[in-house]
Amino acid sequence: MRSNPHFQQLRNDYLFSEVNHRIKAYQGAHPEAHILRLGVGDVTLPLPAPIIDAMHQAVEELGHIETFRGYCLEEGYPWLRKAIIDNDYAPRGIQLDLDEVFVSDGAGSDLGNLSELFDQHNRVAIPDPSYPAYVDASLMAGRTITFLPCSADNAFVPDLPPKQADIIYLCYPNNPTGTVLTREQLQRWVDYARQNHSIIIYDGAYEAYIEEDDIPHSIYEIDGAKEAAIEVRSYSKSAGFTSVRCGYTIVPKQTGLQAMWLRRQCTKYNGTAYVSQRAAEATYTPQGKKAAQANVNYYKQTARLLRDGLQALGYQVYGGINAPYIWCKTPQNMDSWTFFDYLLNQCQVACTPGVGFGPAGEGYVRFSAFSDRKDCEEALKRIKNLA
Ligand code: PLP
């Protein structure tokens, strides 16, 4: 047996384990310290009651012979796929067929697995900084990556790839920078992909956080996108499903990849848990929608608090309006880890070093609105006292 040599290409300093390691080390040396964790990308509010009720009911059904369910379709129950089309796409004028919607156990799995659809020699383009899974999945598959640097100079919107890119990962609202694309900006990417026969893998995990009117919620709002894009969505950050696990991926037939993805899923994926699919369905009922939106609104308020608070303290901040993340320039050109250590040591505030999302993230840190509200208020006071 020879192991996959491409794993050697992966950076072994996995961002969040290093962050946890440093926090743990500090806590060990200062057991009395109350560390405020403002970096975590996981949700913190409990699941809304209508979703819990739906899960209880689904569990109950599995316990009775009349309502028991076994394996379901690999691509998900038709009632959930229909609810997705009716709620997330039709109201925006997007027509999809049921067999273009694939229910998943979350965006993370599909973002990695989609890579199997493409020839190994395809060239990949990934904005830098970015959510680490795109880079890692591409490296594991042995592909060459072109990084598209994002900085304050281009408002964290990458330029089109300088040379042919076959697979392009885009994530908007963006993790980690919190930025969004306008319709015109997204149209340029779709046009590029169509002209170059590329495919865009569009990660819409934070779609629920969009609040400004002219920002597209789905890439399929853009002319020609059905030929050129796969869209990946998740209930993790819209309804608190990080432990429940459910999301979906749209593979339009015009991409020429729908039948391949179905085949791949039928071979390697035996479907999303019934209880999780019923929970996802419950996010579309009037009560479910209202309750999930209340949680998203809470996080959005926290994002505003952090953004405005940091700005008032003189920090240069981005994001935090259509996204739960605030991307913050470090003071005095400190590098990301130095500023991370500085905040941890001086005021026991933990953030996420921007360089962990790619070299262009150097000199930035990410604050997360999923943090406890009181911790955010307290952190802003502590950071203020540092000055
Ligand atoms: N995409 C982005 C940009 C994310 O930030 C995350 C999780 O933090 C994911 C995908 C994974 O989401 P899921 O929980 O659906 O796997």
Side-chain angles (χ1 to χ4, degrees), residues 215-231:
I215 305 300
H217 285 244
S218 163
I219 194 166
Y220 304 120
E221 290 175 47
I222 305 301
D223 283 344
K226 278 195 187 169
E227 287 173 33
I230 291 174
E231 182 161 281

Side-chain angles (χ1 to χ4, degrees), residues 215-348:
I215 305 300
H217 285 244
S218 163
I219 194 166
Y220 304 120
E221 290 175 47
I222 305 301
D223 283 344
K226 278 195 187 169
E227 287 173 33
I230 291 174
E231 182 161 281
V232 180
R233 294 260 191 107
S234 167
Y235 299 95
S236 284
K237 309 298 163 73
S238 61
F241 276 44
T242 51
S243 67
V244 176
R245 309 306 305 148
C246 195
Y248 62 85
T249 292
I250 307 295
V251 188
K253 291 187 195 107
Q254 288 98 313
T255 59
L257 296 165
Q258 184 271 351
M260 281 174 72
W261 183 243
L262 177 61
R263 182 63 201 262
R264 189 266 170 213
Q265 292 298 80
C266 289
T267 304
K268 295 196 182 178
Y269 187 62
N270 265 355
T272 307
Y274 176 64
V275 176
S276 300
Q277 293 196 57
R278 282 295 186 201
E281 185 192 34
T283 66
Y284 297 115
T285 62
Q287 308 89 315
K289 262 187 198 167
K290 203 168 147 201
Q293 190 58 47
N295 283 9
V296 169
N297 288 345
Y298 181 85
Y299 295 130
K300 286 210 274 204
Q301 285 160 10
T302 309
R304 279 301 176 112
L305 174 91
L306 279 171
R307 182 187 156 96
D308 294 350
L310 287 163
Q311 218 161 25
L313 295 176
Y315 288 87
Q316 181 75 52
V317 293
Y318 304 87
I321 294 175
N322 296 294
Y325 298 119
I326 292 93
W327 189 240
C328 177
K329 180 84 192 85
T330 62
Q332 288 136 37
N333 286 328
M334 271 187 229
D335 67 57
S336 301
W337 278 111
T338 302
F339 188 53
F340 171 89
D341 287 333
Y342 174 75
L343 286 184
L344 181 60
N345 287 293
Q346 300 301 315
C347 63
Q348 296 74 53

Side-chain angles (χ1 to χ4, degrees), residues 41 105-109 111 131 134 171 175 203 205-206 234 236-237 242 245-246 325:
D105 62 357
S109 315
L111 286 165
Y131 178 62
Y134 320 139
C171 169
N175 179 11
D203 183 348
Y206 296 96
S234 167
S236 284
K237 309 298 163 73
T242 51
R245 309 306 305 148
C246 195
Y325 298 119

Side-chain angles (χ1 to χ4, degrees), residues 91-124:
R92 299 192 183 280
I94 300 163
Q95 310 299 323
L96 292 172
D97 291 341
L98 217 56
D99 57 1
E100 295 175 308
V101 181
F102 294 84
V103 177
S104 70
D105 62 357
S109 315
D110 281 4
L111 286 165
N113 295 333
L114 281 164
S115 154
E116 292 178 20
L117 297 183
F118 311 110
D119 182 274
Q120 188 185 341
H121 301 291
N122 276 322
R123 279 159 301 189
V124 184

Side-chain angles (χ1 to χ4, degrees), residues 142-164:
R143 297 214 172 86
T144 308
I145 303 175
T146 301
F147 289 98
L148 310 173
C150 298
S151 66
D153 292 342
N154 58 14
F156 300 99
V157 175
D159 294 335
L160 295 172
K163 52 185 178 192
Q164 167 75 25

